[in-house]
Amino acid sequence: MCGIVAYIGPREAYPVILKGLKRLEYRGYDSSGVALLNGDLNVYKKKGKVAELEEMLVGKDVHSHIGIGHTRWATHGEPNDRNAHPHISGSGKLAMIHNGIIENYAQLKQDLLRKGYTFKSDTDTEVLLNFIEDIKENNNCPLEEAVRIALKRIVGAYVIVLIDQEHPDTLITARKGSPLVIGIGKNEHFLASDASPIIEYTKEVVYVNDYELAIIKADELILKNLGNERQTPFITKLDMELAAIEKGGYEHFMLKEIFEQPQTIQDCLRGRLDANGGTITMSGVSKYAEQIMNANRIVMVACGTSWHAGLVAEYIFEELCRINVEVEYASEFRYRNPVINQGDVIIAISQSGETADTLVAIENAKSKGAIIMGVVNVVGSSIARISDTGAYTHAGPEIGVASTKAFTAQLAVLTMIALKIGYEKGTISHDRYLQLVRELDAIPEKVATVLLQADNIRKLAEKYKDATNCLYLGRGYNFPVALEGALKLKEISYIHAEGYPAAEMKHGPIALVDENLPVVFIATKDAYHEKVVSNMQEIKARKGQVIAIINEGDEFTPTLADDVIVVPEADEIVAPMLNCIPLQLLAYYIGVAKNFDVDKPRNLAKSVTVE
Ligand code: M6R
């Protein structure tokens, strides 16, 4: 989704902003632009990649010590130069960038049109900007006050950043619902949608809260609420290195992140899981252990890949904790009128911690008395902050749009929570608990073994890259893995793919099977293995092409499959962390073979901050 960057201070603003926009490219966008103040207000914007904007600006006057920059993911109005941000107000003196959606923009636009305003774009952003300018002029008030008044009448989500030609020493920004980080340097400030454009310059940051507005000069940061009361900025130290957001020799971030998984799962377990002592230490879980153990139900709320992690967790929690679990798409849950009882536990799963639907879903549930536990990757993100408690996944920055290492880290965290609760509740035996602790501990090394298959999987990708449809089938813990494999393929290779419970295939999808349809089976050894193998025979009987993920030592399944990928054996509860890896690699190599931009697939955004 849209990315924002702004700078004020002694450096040249343009290079800082340009680099920042490139760091935010992973979020997904279709146009970009900058506004730079240096006496004149210069605004440059262009459809396409940031590199195209950069090329357009060669030889142009970009000298300035204050500026704002934006990558736009189109919502209102098609992606083109005109609709790109920054937008300029009617007077030509204000420029603004915006991430979010102004829901009541149509009404505001009508009012402004009646007053004689004209619009150069189709965006809600230009409407908000002119609304602010109109208030400023009618009330003859400072910009800060006009922004405050305007925002009280806005319905929707926003981060906005404004510069004013008449006040070239000040940036004004405000936030509700969309992410905003302010980096504090020495007599300089950096603003961005996340920490990646800032980390190079400073580790001291302030996460702006909803309904806060900041007036920022090079050497001053004033934070206020919309009631005009001063707030004390809470400075946090970033726990992230620059190397974590660079490719480190890999061709793509996605490949780097797939290969990081032995390490990221280890990081996630470190300090929590002690296989020798047989303990799991999670302070965020301990604090609410009683409430979780006694909860009538747990509701997992998430979107996309995080939702798939929730589905795996449903199986694990029900098995180990004997608690009723429901898994909800956040976008549906927030708009239904779900029955939420005091004491229900909601587990919100999110890599970015900024997914708008998940955020609003848990806000609603919290207001009805539910306990919110966040399983989030990005430290300091909105979902992490609104949660009552939680556990970070510690996977490090995930830049590739397709979620990979965040998924396995989510599984690791959720498994640890279930194990801890199940053990304390007494719904699993001591022996089973210790066995699973050891199984979990062994996962990073086993993931490293799966990664040794990369070259084999690359060859399979060549063989199957021209498929137009693909089925992914699994049962039990591997059904959500099938869904995740299909999602990865869709996202990265644009091949239509569906995940199904293997048995459900007979209720419809089997009609698709012919000699051209690749069917990926997750057929590792678990309670359902024989049934999955029977399903495989049904596909083979109809001439489908079978690719099977199997365990070492399985001699029979390969006789049914066209191709196999071998993964180490593991307990069925932890196996999804291994079985998803070949599917990530298969999607990645098919995307590369088809020459697609695997890190930034078309139409997708990394962090979906609009509903
Ligand atoms: O940041 P979140 O985990 O909340 O994001 C949820 C989905 O948008 C995300 O998992 C999406 O489906 C990914 N592109 C999947 O690869």
Side-chain angles (χ1 to χ4, degrees), residues 254 301-308 348-359 375-378 383 398 400-404 406-407 410 484 487-488 491-492 601 604-609:
M254 183 176 174
V301 177
C303 303
T305 288
S306 299
W307 185 79
H308 296 155
I349 310 166
S350 175
Q351 187 287 128
S352 62
E354 300 295 349
T355 299
D357 284 323
T358 310
L359 187 57
V375 172
V376 173
N377 193 37
V378 177
I383 294 173
E398 191 178 66
V401 163
S403 194
T404 52
F407 179 63
Q410 287 166 344
E484 176 59 9
L487 179 65
K488 289 288 90 90
E491 288 185 288
I492 301 305
L604 289 180
K606 179 68 184 164
S607 173
V608 183
T609 52

Side-chain angles (χ1 to χ4, degrees), residues 297-301 325-328 333 344-348:
R297 63 167 188 167
I298 295 175
V299 186
M300 310 268 173
V301 177
V325 178
E326 286 159 31
V327 188
E328 297 276 357
F333 190 69
D344 277 353
V345 174
I346 310 280
I347 301 189

